[in-house]
Each structure stands twice: as structure tokens, then as C-alpha cells.
Amino acid sequence: MSRSGVRRVTWRALRARRRALAGLGGWSLVESLPALLAGYLVARAVDEGFLAGRPLNGLAWLGVLAVAVLVGAAATGRTYRSLGAVVEPFRDEVAAQVVRGALGDATRAGGRPDSAAVTRLTHQMEIVRDTFAGLLMVTRGFLFSAGAALLGLLALAPVVAALAAVPLVAGLGVFLAALPAMVTHQRAYVRAGEQLGQSAATALAGHRDVLACGAQTRVTAEVARSVSAQATAERMLARMAAIRSLSLGLGGWLPLLVLMVAAPWLVERGLTAGAVLGALIYVSTGLQPALHTLVQGLGGGGLRYVVTLENILRTYPVSDDQRPPAPAERTPHRRPPTGPTGRSPTVEVRGLTFAYGPRARPVVRNFSLTLADRDHLAVVGPSGAGKSTLAALMAGLVAPQAGTVHLAGAPVAAVDPVGLARLRVLVPQEAYVFTGSLADNLRYLRPDADEHTLEVALDALGARPLAARLGGLGAPVTPALLSAGERQLVAAVRAWLAPAPLVLLDEATCHLDPALEATVEAAFARRPGSLVVIAHRISSALRADRVLVLDGDEPLLGTHAQLMARSTTYRMLVGCWDDPVVPARATSARPG
């Protein structure tokens, strides 16, 4: 995202809040009354009051100035209220885009969590909010304060306004000419800080591996390089301060010097002492502070705003239409072939290989499997055998090193997250329930479900007593007040209602009692589509059509009876579960 993108996003935010901006401008106009009247009123107080021997008249003019100051102070409080109406919604919009982008990157097929997202959402987001507010304040302050001071100078004498305006324009020119270099150095500083955060987080997260491999020196050197790069970038920013000081000297202090040197000449041309004093007041209390605020604001906060927002938008671009295209437009689905039984396959896994590192032992290797409509598969194995990993691969949450996964004929790797949500639903062990009504929780994956459909689902999965205890479908749900089993039951009903043809239950019923677990699994088995259960009890394997055993060697696929005859791992698991067994023959999972 270029600086033009930053301008576009900023301009869009300002246009969307024109009413709040109009209020900010109106109160800023009232706030600038002292800057507009100060020099003129002081000149009248001096010329028509104190120098004329009428001190009461002078005090009266100064009293008018005091009233103007009070009015301006009252307007200042109103400007901040108008400012919040512009800034806070803009901050919320950009923060929401960061969250959407980070979650999208982390959950898409082959995606990885962005370790810098937290920095963008917290530190960088606060920089954007504060500097955006600062830019609005310094810009409107310069326009109104400097404009009021120049109008006051013109009212006193046009020649005085010209003497003050020439060095002011020169100072602004120097500053604006140096802005591109300032932006470049500020960009380098922000990216160096982000790189330092990433390298430090990586080193800390992998400190055990670093110690085990003896790579302390190399990792320390890499982090030190990031520290040095950030220090260099910060020193360059400090050098830019000299240019800002030059601009302030030319535009802020030089007009004062010019007016003081030209004072005798101005008096000879008929300018009164009060007018000269008023001109000095306009420059010292109007033009000079306005320029100082503008240069410091743009040179500091403005640069941080442009570069930080540019960095955020470069990672998570904000488009004119945030709505993602429909899956059919992005991933055309082919007609799924039929399996040997004549039923369309819901899941086709071919040659799947996955490992958690380049030298790690693969969790699955060259694995193939086909599940047709109405197939019910249980996956068992010791802890760490890869059961949850296989579920994540089938759901498209993890990208394999080799092989393909097709859901309803669509390749998982080519389907966007919205499309994947329509093809499969994965229910983890730790079920998520959000604050809201019970109906809202159940409709999360099927928003169009009417109350009759929800009632049928509650009865099918044995959740009617829970709904009655909560107070019905419209009753509010407080997640903290639900037990782990109750949360699992709500998540199970939600998944049962989903239109996805594949359901994966990753120990999603482990907190239910055996009878309720049987009811839930039986309901899913009757549901159209395929069911994969990461088994928590032997009863789940006994209810399945087939059982897949993962134990780090060759995966075995078969019925409970077949696996008792062929799989030592399965017999050991059954012994731990302490259920009766029937010996028979097992088959390999490879043919699919």
C-alpha cells in the first residue's frame, strides 16, 4: 500500500464524517477569535488609551480582549468533542480491518499466524489514532490561527503583513521540501522496530531449540543486527529535527527580527507605536506558535501517521468493498465423482504427507482415504499420534507438504475460508459459546434456521433439558455459567444444523456422559454427509462404520472386529478403555 493508499483511506474517513468536521471547523473559528483580535485590540489600547493619557480606555480595550480569550477557551473544549467524533470511528475501522486480515491469514489453507499482528493492533494502532487526531488539530490550528493573524496584520497595515508573510512562506517551503526524506527515514524506523519485535519473539519462542542446537551466537547476532538497524533509523530521525529547527527559525523567528529592524522605517511611514506592538503580538502569539505546531506536528506525528498506517495497509489492505466474493466466483466447483458404492464421496484424501518441520518425522505419510456420504469414521490412537492434525488437514486449516484433500469435489487448497465453512465444520474439544441468546448461538452456522428447525435439533441431540434449564431459545446465554459439557452440547447442536457435508468432532463430546454422547453421535450419523469422530471412548469406535488407527507406523483402517485381529495399538487402546472386544481382520487405510 503506497502513500496514495494512505491518502485515499484518510480522505474517505474525512468525507464519511463531514458533519463532525464541520462542527470542528465551526468551533475552531470561534477559538481563533483571540488570535484575530489580539494585535488590533492591543494597538487600540496603546494608541487610544495609555499613550493618549486615557488609561480607562486602554483597560476597556484589554477587557474586550479578555472576553475574547474566555470565549476561545470555551470553544477549545468543544473542539475536542468534535475531534473524537472523527477520530474514534476511524480507529475502529482500521482496527477491525487488522483483526479481519490477521484472522483470515491465520485460518486460510496454508496460512500462518502473523506474529506482528498484535503490534499492529496495539502499539501501531494507537500511533495511528493519536497522530491522526494530532494532524487534524495542528492543521486546523495553523489554518485558523495563522489566517487570523494575517488578517489582523492586514487590518493594521498591508506592508506589515507582507514583511511577516515572506519569511513565513520561506520557512514553510524548506519544511515541505524536506518532507519526502523525513517520510523515508520514518518508514525505515517503523519497519526496523517491527523487525526487531519479530526477531526477538522468534528467538524467545525457540530458546530451547537454540540452546539444544548450540545456536546462541548466531541468534544473538541476528537480534543484535535488528537492534543496530533500529538505532540507526532513530539517529536519522534525530538529524531530521535540525531541518525542522531551520524551518522554525526562518518562518517563526525571522519575521520578528524583520519587524523589529523595520520598526523605525514603519514609524516614519506613519505607523503608530501601538500598531507596531500589535504587529509583534500577531507574529509572536499567532504566526510563530501556529508554524511551530504545524512543523512539529507534521514532522513528528504526521510522519508517524503516514508510515504506520501505510505499514498496516500494506499488510491488510482496505478495499472499497470489504465483502469477499462468493466462493463460486473464486473457486469453481466441479461435479463430484461417485465412489464404488455409487455414493458421492464427501472427502477424498490422496497421498497426504505432513510434518511439523523440515527434519521432523511426518505425522502422516502418503496417506489416502475416501469417505462417502453417510460414512461414519472413528479415528483412534495414542496421544500425539496425529489425530487432531489429520482433522485439521481434512478441514483445510493446515496445508500438507504433499498430497491433496478434496471436499465435495472441491480442492481444499483452492477454496477460500467462506467456501470452506460451507463444506465442513470442525468442532474442537474446547467448545466456543458466545454471549447472546441460545438461538443466536445455534444459528451461528445456519442463520436462516427457523425456530421449528432449532427445536428439532435440540430434540435430536438430547439438548432439550439444557434449553429448558436456560429458559428456552430466546434465553440469554452466559458462557462462564455453563459447564464444559453444556458448552460442548451447544456446539454440537450448532454443528448439526450446519449445511456442511462433512462434520469433524475432535473429542468434541469428551465432557458429556456416555449416554448423551451416544445420542449426539447417533444424531450426526443420521445426518446427511460424512462424520469423522476423534474418539474419546471405545464406544465411539464401536458405533462407527470404520475405525482408523494412527500409531506412527502404517495407518490401519477397518471395523472394530478387524482391527482387534491386526492392530496391537488398537488392542492396547481397547484394554485401556476396558471394553469387550471381538477379534477379526483389519485392512490398510492406503487404498482409500
Side-chain angles (χ1 to χ4, degrees):
M1 177 69 67
S2 64
R3 272 172 282 176
S4 62
V6 174
R7 287 194 296 269
R8 188 176 74 250
V9 169
T10 305
W11 179 243
R12 184 193 308 165
L14 295 176
R15 282 190 306 169
R17 294 159 188 92
R18 289 188 290 268
R19 184 173 180 179
L21 280 175
L24 179 63
W27 288 114
S28 298
L29 183 62
V30 177
E31 186 187 23
S32 65
L33 280 177
L36 176 65
L37 300 176
Y40 178 82
L41 294 176
V42 169
R44 299 284 76 79
V46 171
D47 292 336
E48 300 176 9
F50 302 114
L51 290 182
R54 296 192 290 270
L56 291 180
N57 283 352
L59 292 174
W61 286 113
L62 294 181
V64 174
L65 177 58
V67 172
V69 170
L70 291 176
V71 172
T76 300
R78 292 289 185 173
T79 62
Y80 282 98
R81 182 177 299 178
S82 301
L83 180 69
V86 177
V87 172
E88 296 302 327
F90 174 64
R91 188 274 306 270
D92 294 342
E93 289 175 1
V94 180
Q97 179 61 24
V98 172
V99 173
R100 282 194 296 266
L103 291 178
D105 288 345
T107 56
R108 65 180 172 82
R112 298 182 63 185
D114 184 1
S115 60
V118 175
T119 299
R120 295 189 182 99
L121 190 59
T122 54
H123 178 62
Q124 294 186 15
M125 199 65 252
E126 289 306 306
I127 289 177
V128 169
R129 191 270 302 271
D130 294 344
T131 53
F132 182 57
L135 279 177
L136 286 177
M137 292 300 284
V138 301
T139 302
R140 63 99 204 178
F142 177 78
L143 291 176
F144 286 96
S145 297
L150 287 174
L151 286 175
L153 287 171
L154 283 172
L156 288 176
V159 65
V160 175
L163 289 175
V166 171
L168 174 67
V169 172
L172 277 175
V174 171
F175 174 70
L176 294 176
L179 265 181
M182 294 181 184
V183 171
T184 299
H185 293 306
Q186 183 69 36
R187 183 186 296 114
Y189 171 72
V190 170
R191 293 183 180 173
E194 189 173 280
Q195 181 60 40
L196 175 59
Q198 287 180 325
S199 61
T202 302
L204 291 174
H207 70 281
R208 293 183 179 178
D209 294 334
V210 171
L211 292 174
C213 299
Q216 299 96 315
T217 302
R218 182 171 62 85
V219 173
T220 302
E222 290 177 357
V223 175
R225 280 195 293 271
S226 298
V227 173
S228 298
Q230 188 191 36
T232 300
E234 196 158 357
R235 282 193 293 269
M236 291 303 299
L237 280 183
R239 294 190 181 104
M240 292 296 103
I243 297 179
R244 293 200 295 269
S245 298
L246 177 61
S247 302
L248 291 173
L250 287 175
W253 292 103
L254 188 57
L256 283 175
L257 179 61
V258 169
L259 286 178
M260 287 188 291
V261 171
W265 176 74
L266 292 172
V267 171
E268 290 176 1
R269 291 177 59 88
L271 202 65
T272 64
V276 173
L277 179 59
L280 292 174
I281 288 176
Y282 276 127
V283 173
S284 61
T285 64
L287 288 181
Q288 189 185 70
L291 180 64
H292 182 274
T293 303
L294 181 71
V295 169
Q296 294 297 341
L298 290 181
L303 294 181
R304 288 195 298 274
Y305 170 77
V306 171
V307 174
T308 307
L309 184 57
E310 176 185 301
N311 189 53
I312 292 174
L313 298 180
R314 177 172 50 87
T315 309
Y316 308 119
V318 179
S319 61
D320 293 330
D321 185 4
Q322 293 289 353
R323 295 172 297 176
E329 298 175 356
R330 298 179 62 176
T331 308
H333 290 186
R334 60 181 175 87
R335 182 185 180 90
T338 58
T341 62
R343 294 178 294 169
S344 298
T346 302
V347 182
E348 290 180 281
V349 177
R350 291 291 175 263
L352 201 64
T353 298
F354 177 81
Y356 281 102
R359 293 184 175 85
R361 181 179 181 180
V363 179
V364 292
R365 185 196 302 272
N366 197 25
F367 176 76
S368 297
L369 174 71
T370 298
L371 295 179
D373 184 39
R374 304 283 183 174
D375 271 355
H376 180 179
L377 175 71
V379 183
V380 301
S383 178
K387 302 185 296 296
S388 295
T389 299
L390 178 61
L393 288 164
M394 294 172 69
L397 300 180
V398 177
Q401 278 83 34
T404 60
V405 177
H406 285 73
L407 299 181
V412 165
V415 181
D416 69 301
V418 176
L420 278 178
R422 298 172 182 173
L423 297 176
R424 53 86 179 116
V425 55
L426 172 64
V427 186
Q429 179 178 350
E430 296 300 324
Y432 178 75
V433 177
F434 55 84
T435 300
S437 69
L438 178 60
D440 290 339
N441 272 276
L442 300 184
R443 287 193 180 106
Y444 181 70
L445 299 176
R446 189 175 171 183
D448 60 342
D450 56 24
E451 285 202 9
H452 174 71
T453 303
L454 300 184
E455 299 282 357
V456 170
L458 291 173
D459 290 332
L461 280 85
R464 173 68 62 184
L466 173 61
R469 186 184 74 78
L470 293 175
L473 290 171
V477 174
T478 304
L481 300 181
L482 298 180
S483 67
E486 288 172 333
R487 290 194 297 271
Q488 285 189 336
L489 190 54
V490 172
V493 177
R494 178 196 299 155
W496 190 85
L497 285 165
L502 171 64
V503 174
L504 301 120
L505 303 179
D506 188 0
E507 297 194 11
T509 58
C510 63
H511 295 299
L512 303 180
D513 61 70
L516 189 53
E517 180 182 60
T519 300
V520 170
E521 290 185 5
F524 276 104
R526 295 191 301 269
R527 178 184 178 276
S530 301
L531 174 63
V532 177
V533 178
I534 308 300
H536 176 69
R537 299 183 177 100
I538 187 58
S539 53
S540 295
L542 292 172
R543 283 189 290 267
D545 301 324
R546 292 183 292 172
V547 180
L548 176 65
V549 181
L550 300 178
D551 64 353
D553 297 320
E554 182 75 13
L556 290 179
L557 179 68
T559 65
H560 169 78
Q562 292 169 339
L563 291 170
M564 286 300 299
R566 287 290 304 276
S567 175
T568 303
T569 299
Y570 189 69
R571 286 195 296 271
M572 292 176 61
L573 290 172
V574 169
C576 293
W577 277 321
D578 196 24
D579 274 74
V581 295
V582 181
R585 179 183 175 84
T587 60
S588 171
R590 191 177 299 280

Short mmCIF file of all heavy atoms in Angstrom, two decimals, residues 9 23 40 55 60 71 77 86 134 178 188 198 213 298 302 309 322 326 369 441 448 470 519 543 556 579:
data_model
loop_
_atom_site.label_atom_id
_atom_site.label_comp_id
_atom_site.label_asym_id
_atom_site.label_seq_id
_atom_site.Cartn_x
_atom_site.Cartn_y
_atom_site.Cartn_z
N VAL A 9 -7.49 6.40 2.03
CA VAL A 9 -8.17 5.94 3.24
C VAL A 9 -8.47 7.13 4.16
O VAL A 9 -9.55 7.23 4.74
CB VAL A 9 -7.29 4.90 3.97
CG1 VAL A 9 -7.84 4.61 5.36
CG2 VAL A 9 -7.23 3.61 3.16
N GLY A 23 -18.47 20.70 12.43
CA GLY A 23 -18.52 21.15 13.81
C GLY A 23 -17.16 21.53 14.34
O GLY A 23 -17.00 22.55 15.04
N TYR A 40 -4.95 43.83 17.18
CA TYR A 40 -5.75 45.03 16.92
C TYR A 40 -6.18 45.69 18.23
O TYR A 40 -6.09 46.91 18.40
CB TYR A 40 -6.97 44.64 16.08
CG TYR A 40 -7.89 45.80 15.80
CD1 TYR A 40 -7.62 46.68 14.77
CD2 TYR A 40 -9.03 46.01 16.57
CE1 TYR A 40 -8.46 47.76 14.51
CE2 TYR A 40 -9.88 47.07 16.33
CZ TYR A 40 -9.59 47.94 15.29
OH TYR A 40 -10.42 49.01 15.04
N PRO A 55 -6.10 55.91 30.49
CA PRO A 55 -5.87 54.52 30.88
C PRO A 55 -7.14 53.69 30.96
O PRO A 55 -7.11 52.48 30.72
CB PRO A 55 -5.19 54.63 32.25
CG PRO A 55 -5.57 55.99 32.76
CD PRO A 55 -5.69 56.86 31.56
N ALA A 60 -10.33 49.17 28.92
CA ALA A 60 -11.56 48.69 28.28
C ALA A 60 -11.24 47.85 27.06
O ALA A 60 -11.84 46.78 26.85
CB ALA A 60 -12.44 49.88 27.91
N VAL A 71 -14.04 33.32 25.54
CA VAL A 71 -14.88 32.68 24.52
C VAL A 71 -14.07 31.61 23.76
O VAL A 71 -14.55 30.50 23.51
CB VAL A 71 -15.46 33.72 23.55
CG1 VAL A 71 -16.17 33.03 22.39
CG2 VAL A 71 -16.42 34.64 24.28
N GLY A 77 -12.79 23.41 24.38
CA GLY A 77 -13.37 22.18 24.89
C GLY A 77 -14.29 21.53 23.88
O GLY A 77 -14.33 20.29 23.75
N VAL A 86 -14.66 12.27 14.97
CA VAL A 86 -13.98 11.95 13.72
C VAL A 86 -12.96 10.83 13.91
O VAL A 86 -12.89 9.88 13.12
CB VAL A 86 -13.27 13.21 13.16
CG1 VAL A 86 -12.50 12.86 11.88
CG2 VAL A 86 -14.28 14.30 12.89
N GLY A 134 -3.82 14.29 16.16
CA GLY A 134 -2.87 15.39 16.18
C GLY A 134 -2.81 16.13 14.86
O GLY A 134 -2.71 17.37 14.83
N ALA A 178 11.72 19.14 2.60
CA ALA A 178 12.39 18.06 3.33
C ALA A 178 11.46 16.92 3.73
O ALA A 178 11.92 15.89 4.21
CB ALA A 178 13.06 18.64 4.58
N ALA A 188 11.65 3.72 7.59
CA ALA A 188 12.73 2.81 7.99
C ALA A 188 12.70 2.55 9.49
O ALA A 188 12.94 1.42 9.94
CB ALA A 188 14.08 3.39 7.57
N GLN A 198 9.78 -8.97 15.74
CA GLN A 198 9.63 -10.32 15.19
C GLN A 198 10.84 -11.19 15.52
O GLN A 198 10.70 -12.35 15.91
CB GLN A 198 9.44 -10.24 13.68
CG GLN A 198 8.07 -9.72 13.27
CD GLN A 198 7.91 -9.66 11.76
OE1 GLN A 198 8.87 -9.38 11.03
NE2 GLN A 198 6.72 -9.91 11.28
N CYS A 213 20.62 -26.73 19.93
CA CYS A 213 21.44 -26.76 18.71
C CYS A 213 22.73 -25.96 18.85
O CYS A 213 23.54 -25.92 17.91
CB CYS A 213 20.63 -26.21 17.53
SG CYS A 213 19.15 -27.14 17.15
N LEU A 298 3.47 17.92 11.87
CA LEU A 298 3.69 17.18 10.63
C LEU A 298 5.02 16.44 10.63
O LEU A 298 5.11 15.31 10.16
CB LEU A 298 3.64 18.14 9.44
CG LEU A 298 2.28 18.74 9.09
CD1 LEU A 298 2.40 19.65 7.88
CD2 LEU A 298 1.25 17.67 8.84
N GLY A 302 2.78 13.56 12.06
CA GLY A 302 2.35 13.34 10.68
C GLY A 302 3.13 12.24 10.00
O GLY A 302 2.58 11.39 9.29
N LEU A 309 0.35 3.90 9.22
CA LEU A 309 -0.85 3.47 8.52
C LEU A 309 -0.50 2.80 7.20
O LEU A 309 -1.13 1.82 6.80
CB LEU A 309 -1.77 4.68 8.28
CG LEU A 309 -3.12 4.37 7.63
CD1 LEU A 309 -3.90 3.35 8.45
CD2 LEU A 309 -3.93 5.65 7.44
N GLN A 322 -15.48 -4.35 1.25
CA GLN A 322 -14.91 -5.34 2.16
C GLN A 322 -15.53 -6.72 2.00
O GLN A 322 -15.06 -7.67 2.57
CB GLN A 322 -15.07 -4.87 3.62
CG GLN A 322 -14.28 -3.64 3.96
CD GLN A 322 -12.81 -3.91 4.02
OE1 GLN A 322 -12.36 -5.04 3.93
NE2 GLN A 322 -12.02 -2.86 4.16
N ALA A 326 -18.12 -14.32 -3.63
CA ALA A 326 -18.70 -15.62 -3.33
C ALA A 326 -17.75 -16.73 -3.74
O ALA A 326 -16.99 -16.61 -4.71
CB ALA A 326 -20.02 -15.78 -4.07
N LEU A 369 -7.48 -41.73 1.68
CA LEU A 369 -8.73 -42.13 2.32
C LEU A 369 -9.88 -41.52 1.54
O LEU A 369 -9.77 -40.40 1.03
CB LEU A 369 -8.77 -41.62 3.77
CG LEU A 369 -10.06 -41.82 4.56
CD1 LEU A 369 -10.25 -43.30 4.89
CD2 LEU A 369 -10.05 -40.99 5.84
N ASN A 441 -26.72 -18.53 19.28
CA ASN A 441 -25.61 -19.47 19.29
C ASN A 441 -25.86 -20.63 18.33
O ASN A 441 -24.95 -21.07 17.62
CB ASN A 441 -25.39 -20.01 20.71
CG ASN A 441 -24.47 -19.14 21.52
OD1 ASN A 441 -23.25 -19.26 21.44
ND2 ASN A 441 -25.04 -18.24 22.31
N ASP A 448 -30.40 -18.88 8.67
CA ASP A 448 -31.78 -18.90 8.19
C ASP A 448 -32.64 -19.94 8.90
O ASP A 448 -33.82 -20.11 8.55
CB ASP A 448 -31.81 -19.16 6.68
CG ASP A 448 -31.18 -20.50 6.31
OD1 ASP A 448 -30.42 -21.05 7.14
OD2 ASP A 448 -31.43 -20.98 5.20
N LEU A 470 -32.04 -23.27 30.63
CA LEU A 470 -31.62 -21.91 30.32
C LEU A 470 -32.80 -20.96 30.16
O LEU A 470 -32.64 -19.75 30.28
CB LEU A 470 -30.78 -21.91 29.03
CG LEU A 470 -29.42 -22.62 29.11
CD1 LEU A 470 -28.75 -22.64 27.75
CD2 LEU A 470 -28.52 -21.95 30.14
N THR A 519 -26.17 -40.37 22.11
CA THR A 519 -27.28 -39.68 21.45
C THR A 519 -26.75 -38.68 20.42
O THR A 519 -27.27 -38.60 19.29
CB THR A 519 -28.14 -38.94 22.49
OG1 THR A 519 -28.67 -39.88 23.42
CG2 THR A 519 -29.28 -38.18 21.83
N ARG A 543 -19.45 -47.59 17.59
CA ARG A 543 -20.60 -47.06 16.86
C ARG A 543 -20.25 -46.73 15.41
O ARG A 543 -21.15 -46.57 14.58
CB ARG A 543 -21.14 -45.81 17.56
CG ARG A 543 -21.98 -46.10 18.79
CD ARG A 543 -22.65 -44.84 19.30
NE ARG A 543 -21.68 -43.91 19.87
CZ ARG A 543 -21.36 -43.86 21.17
NH1 ARG A 543 -21.92 -44.71 22.01
NH2 ARG A 543 -20.50 -42.98 21.62
N LEU A 556 -3.99 -48.03 9.95
CA LEU A 556 -4.85 -49.18 9.66
C LEU A 556 -6.29 -48.74 9.70
O LEU A 556 -6.71 -48.00 10.58
CB LEU A 556 -4.61 -50.29 10.68
CG LEU A 556 -3.26 -51.01 10.59
CD1 LEU A 556 -3.15 -52.06 11.68
CD2 LEU A 556 -3.08 -51.65 9.22
N ASP A 579 -13.19 -52.35 27.50
CA ASP A 579 -14.46 -52.76 26.93
C ASP A 579 -14.29 -54.13 26.28
O ASP A 579 -13.18 -54.52 25.91
CB ASP A 579 -14.94 -51.75 25.87
CG ASP A 579 -15.71 -50.62 26.51
OD1 ASP A 579 -15.06 -49.77 27.14
OD2 ASP A 579 -16.94 -50.60 26.36
#
